[in-house]
Structures are given as C-alpha cells and as structure tokens.
Amino acid sequence: MATFALVHGAGHGAWCWERVTPILEALGHRVFAMDLPCEDPAAGAARYAEVVDRAVPPANDLVLVGHSLGGLTVPLVAARRPVRRLVFLCAVIPEFGRSLADQVAAEPEIYDPVLRSHPGRVTGPDGTVWFRDEAAARDVFFHDCAPEDVRRAFARLRPQAPAPRGERCPLSAWAPGEKAYILCRDDRAVSPAWSRRAARERLGVEPIELDGSHSPFISQPSALAEVLDRLAR
C-alpha cells in the first residue's frame, strides 16, 4: 500500500479529489489532499511545495500526484523529502531553470487551443486567471461531467494568481524516485499531443492514456483510482 499526496491544479482545491480519495482508501492506501494558496499573489510553486510537505506526515511510501499546474509543485516536494513515485496527471512538467511562462512563450502548444482562445477565460491586470461563468469552465475543464457536477465544481473554483507561472524552476535534476504521466485524450486544457511528447522526452516514460476531459477525478474517479492504485503497487 502507499501514502498518496494529491495536489490540485490551478484554481481548484482539495475538494476536487473527494471522489477518488475514498476509493483509494478502500484499497488500503492513506490519502492526503490539501488546499494550496491559489489566490495569494506572493505564493509560487515553492510556497505550494511547503504547504504540501506540511500536510503529509512522514512516509517512506509516498506517491505524489500533481494535476495540471500541480505538475510544477510535486517535483519541488520530492526535492524536500523521499518520494517513491511522481505522477503527473494532465499536468505541465517543469523545465529546469525556466519558468512556465517562458516555456509557454516558446511552446504555446503546451495548452490546448480551447483554453488558449476561450473568451470566457479571463486574465486580470495582475495576471490572475479565472472563468467568467459556468459555461466557460465546462468547456475547458469539465465538458464530460454531468451538469450538476459542473455546477458544484464551478462554485468552488478560485482565481489563480500568476506567481507559479512566473517562478523559475530551481531544480537542476530530478529527485530519486519513479515517474509516471497520465493524460486524458479529450483534454482541452493541457494538450494531449504535448503531454505525449513531454512525458517521453522529459520524464523518459510512456504516458498512460485515459479517455475524457481535464478532470478525471470528477468524470471517471474509479478509472483514475485504478490507475493510481496500479502505479502504487
């Protein structure tokens, strides 16, 4: 069995894992999820890693799962403590010595065209990002989720401050431990084509592919938990 730390993406919270957590616990795993300070303009990925580290007790069987923007945080946690495996879920992958903003400027295809051009995705003067309405959030994050699930998720989304995107990754090498990447073929946020290439080139792994949207923890929690359980064993 394993200890899971489930790290949410931009504008989300620990709530997004509420369907996956009981499935993993029923399989015998310990599971921890935490709220990251998404709205804090001074908090970058390094600060997020401190929050994750404090939320998870000492463990020698830790599996870190980073969803979406959480892909910037989990390698920094692994640099602070022993980790059995890093799992990137529909996630960006840091490039050592560069910020995500620099990466996107060089590779705009990191993000799917739906996210890049959606008129309902609003960027404030300070770079904070949020969705104008429920329909916009559905189109980008939740398009395969039931309407009532979209409503609940949208009501709990938070604005995402820009600090993690502008913070240079301080790492020069991966910490010890195995790595995995899970992508969703219908992801409209992080491009599946980019994810396939980045998983092979940056992590040296063949990605695991699921059907569905950017939010498998809502639309297909059992399928996601099954993959995570398999990786933990």
Side-chain angles (χ1 to χ4, degrees):
M1 300 302 108
T3 300
F4 278 95
L6 305 179
V7 181
H8 66 77
H12 284 63
W15 60 266
C16 72
W17 304 105
E18 64 190 8
R19 293 183 176 176
V20 174
T21 294
I23 301 172
L24 290 175
E25 289 177 336
L27 292 167
H29 303 292
R30 293 196 302 167
V31 183
F32 297 88
M34 66 298 299
D35 289 325
L36 301 179
C38 293
E39 296 160 295
D40 184 348
R47 172 69 178 133
Y48 291 8
E50 294 175 3
V51 172
V52 176
D53 192 23
R54 286 205 310 270
V56 182
N60 59 9
D61 57 353
L62 182 59
V63 178
L64 277 170
V65 182
H67 175 248
S68 196
L69 191 67
L72 300 182
T73 297
V74 290
L76 302 185
V77 179
R80 300 170 64 95
R81 61 188 296 172
V83 170
R84 180 196 290 179
R85 186 183 293 270
L86 289 179
V87 181
F88 294 83
L89 172 62
C90 303
V92 294
I93 303 173
E95 189 173 347
F96 304 148
R98 300 183 73 193
S99 69
L100 179 60
D102 289 339
Q103 292 184 61
V104 173
E107 297 180 85
E109 66 273 17
I110 289 174
Y111 292 132
D112 187 84
V114 173
L115 179 143
R116 294 202 308 263
S117 63
H118 202 290
R121 181 174 179 264
V122 181
T123 302
D126 67 347
T128 295
V129 176
W130 66 94
F131 286 106
R132 190 186 312 279
D133 53 33
E134 182 182 307
R138 180 198 63 221
D139 290 349
V140 177
F141 284 165
F142 310 119
H143 65 85
D144 63 344
C145 300
E148 60 271 23
D149 291 335
V150 177
R151 283 193 292 274
R152 284 191 77 229
F154 175 71
R156 292 188 283 183
L157 290 177
R158 296 176 286 159
Q160 175 60 54
R165 300 193 302 271
E167 184 179 78
R168 182 181 63 83
C169 177
L171 301 178
S172 58
W174 295 106
E178 300 296 320
K179 295 178 285 295
Y181 195 104
I182 304 169
L183 66 84
C184 288
R185 299 184 185 97
D186 303 313
D187 195 334
R188 297 178 180 176
V190 177
S191 163
W194 177 85
S195 294
R196 289 185 187 97
R197 185 176 73 249
R200 294 163 183 153
E201 294 178 355
R202 298 191 186 183
L203 304 179
V205 301
E206 193 66 25
I208 299 165
E209 301 199 13
L210 298 174
D211 290 327
S213 72
H214 192 60
S215 304
F217 37 73
I218 296 175
S219 62
Q220 48 180 333
S222 294
L224 176 58
E226 180 182 351
V227 172
L228 294 177
D229 176 61
R230 190 166 70 243
L231 288 172
R233 296 173 189 273

